[in-house]
Amino acid sequence: MLKRRNIQYSYLRLLQKIKNFLFSTQSREFLIFLFFFFISAGFWLLQTLNNDYEVEFSIPVRLKGVPNNVVVTSENVSELRVKVRDKGTVLVNYMLSKNLVPITLNYTDYKAVNNHIRIYANQFEKQVAARLSASSALLTIKPDTLEYIYATGKAKRIPVRLRGTISAGRQYYISDTLYSPDSVVVYAPTHLLDTITAAYTEPVHLENISDTLKYPVSLATVKGAKFIPDKTELTFPVDIYTEKTVEVPVYGINFPADKVLRAFPSKVNVTFQVGMSRYRMLNGDDFVIIVSYEDLLNLGSRKYTVKLKSAPHGVSNIRISPEQVDFLIEQISPDGH
């Protein structure tokens, strides 16, 4: 309580000092000085911006209407550097603007020579000027020539594959990786097309996932090739681990027709971890435990360590109890007795 009172007292003292300063003669003189300072600065800024200047800024440029079987192999120019002269007030708007409409060039409007399209500045200068104020003088456009080199490719459909590392949080696991779409069409020259067997995503690295996740990602570019579409959405279904135990019979393999295995016990317990969604689906028939006849012949004791021949997909941390069984190779008569 005392501490709170001290804080309130200090706050009131500070408030009183500020009030005394604001109503003092020195404060009024300072505020008057600030007022005239900002007025002067404003006039100076307006006077300065009223002069003519030259400035360079960028305008986005896009090539549209490219057929699917045309693969642009040259490096695409994504923007034009435009230099203009005008009053400062106009130029400030250009520099601050982030929503300039892109210059759009239509592929079908230009003639190609040997798979090489050249578009000169005078062919898109009107589009640039249309984005400028009427008072602005257009001085330069860089580059003054846009070049697009392309190849006409053949196509095939290929699967999408993940590139990266994905890990779930503790007690969780990722049961699958789903792609939408799971395949894309790739266009490329024949010699390159033959080498492309899958479309890989850009590297994806995700850790400690604890819930089903949808993750859009672009496909990694291959020089000289074009993917349609060039993006996919990854879905990582996440499930929580639980433990289950099932009883599995022990089978003998590679035994001669007149011999049969007698194992003690004849069944073992298999304990494993599995996702909650598959818990009820799995039973002992999904596992195969074997005893090999050849191994028994070379064994120097009556105990054999059983082997797990097969297990269903998606289970982990498999444990067998008991790990060893006693056995007897029983000779059977030709009549089966």
Side-chain angles (χ1 to χ4, degrees):
M1 182 67 71
L2 183 60
K3 188 174 182 180
R4 181 180 295 180
R5 287 179 179 176
N6 289 337
I7 294 174
Q8 290 177 341
Y9 176 72
S10 300
Y11 172 75
L12 292 174
R13 284 191 61 190
L14 178 61
L15 194 63
Q16 186 62 44
K17 287 182 178 180
I18 293 173
K19 188 183 294 184
N20 293 339
F21 173 76
L22 290 176
F23 287 98
S24 65
T25 303
Q26 295 91 338
S27 172
R28 286 195 295 273
E29 292 175 353
F30 177 71
L31 292 175
I32 292 171
F33 167 77
L34 284 181
F35 173 76
F36 284 106
F37 172 79
F38 284 118
I39 291 292
S40 301
F43 280 118
W44 173 83
L45 182 61
L46 289 174
Q47 183 63 35
T48 301
L49 291 178
N50 202 40
N51 296 330
D52 285 347
Y53 298 94
E54 294 179 2
V55 71
E56 186 177 88
F57 58 93
S58 63
I59 299 179
V61 61
R62 303 284 185 267
L63 181 66
K64 71 173 187 177
V66 180
N68 285 338
N69 67 326
V70 170
V71 181
V72 178
T73 56
S74 59
E75 185 174 350
N76 288 344
V77 177
S78 61
E79 63 180 27
L80 299 173
R81 297 297 300 174
V82 177
K83 189 174 185 179
V84 299
R85 181 172 58 242
D86 207 332
K87 295 192 179 300
T89 50
V90 177
L91 298 180
V92 167
N93 287 332
Y94 291 149
M95 291 185 291
L96 295 180
S97 177
K98 296 183 179 179
N99 297 310
L100 286 173
V101 179
I103 302 297
T104 302
L105 307 174
N106 199 316
Y107 171 88
T108 57
D109 292 341
Y110 305 97
K111 185 177 180 179
V113 178
N114 295 326
N115 289 7
H116 194 164
I117 295 176
R118 288 185 175 88
I119 306 175
Y120 300 100
N122 59 8
Q123 294 175 280
F124 51 80
E125 185 175 336
K126 286 185 178 179
Q127 285 199 59
V128 174
R131 286 152 179 76
L132 303 178
S133 172
S135 62
S136 298
L138 179 59
L139 303 179
T140 60
I141 301 176
K142 297 179 183 178
D144 59 1
T145 304
L146 300 177
E147 296 188 73
Y148 297 95
I149 303 172
Y150 67 89
T152 303
K154 293 184 177 180
K156 68 179 180 181
R157 183 167 288 276
I158 55 175
V160 177
R161 294 287 181 263
L162 170 65
R163 177 177 287 149
T165 56
I166 313 297
S167 64
R170 190 176 180 183
Q171 294 299 316
Y172 294 89
Y173 82 103
I174 300 169
S175 59
D176 203 352
T177 300
L178 306 176
Y179 305 85
S180 180
D182 60 0
S183 64
V184 296
V185 175
V186 57
Y187 293 88
T190 303
H191 71 279
L192 178 59
L193 190 66
D194 292 340
T195 67
I196 301 175
T197 58
Y200 291 92
T201 66
E202 293 286 357
V204 177
H205 300 285
L206 301 171
E207 297 179 346
N208 296 321
I209 299 176
S210 59
D211 198 1
T212 297
L213 175 68
K214 292 184 181 294
Y215 191 86
V217 62
S218 297
L219 301 179
T221 57
V222 176
K223 187 175 182 180
K226 179 194 287 187
F227 297 111
I228 305 293
D230 60 357
K231 295 179 176 64
T232 189
E233 183 179 72
L234 305 174
T235 300
F236 303 105
V238 175
D239 203 352
I240 188 169
Y241 274 122
T242 187
E243 194 167 83
K244 185 173 185 176
T245 300
V246 295
E247 200 172 51
V248 181
V250 177
Y251 292 104
I253 62 169
N254 301 329
F255 276 73
D258 61 342
K259 291 181 173 59
V260 67
L261 172 70
R262 302 297 184 192
F264 307 97
S266 61
K267 295 182 179 180
V268 295
N269 290 324
V270 176
T271 301
F272 55 92
Q273 284 190 330
V274 66
M276 185 67 74
S277 61
R278 300 187 61 204
Y279 182 86
R280 296 183 180 277
M281 301 179 187
L282 301 180
N283 55 51
D285 295 335
D286 297 305
F287 299 82
V288 177
I289 301 289
I290 63 169
V291 174
S292 170
Y293 179 71
E294 293 84 356
D295 290 346
L296 294 183
L297 293 180
N298 299 321
L299 199 63
S301 70
R302 286 293 178 182
K303 286 194 175 291
Y304 178 82
T305 302
V306 295
K307 296 178 180 177
L308 179 66
K309 183 180 180 183
S310 66
H313 174 72
V315 301
S316 61
N317 295 335
I318 300 173
R319 305 186 303 279
I320 301 172
S321 178
E323 295 181 351
Q324 292 184 323
V325 296
D326 295 316
F327 68 91
L328 178 65
I329 300 176
E330 184 176 324
Q331 184 80 33
I332 58 176
S333 60
D335 60 0
H337 297 288

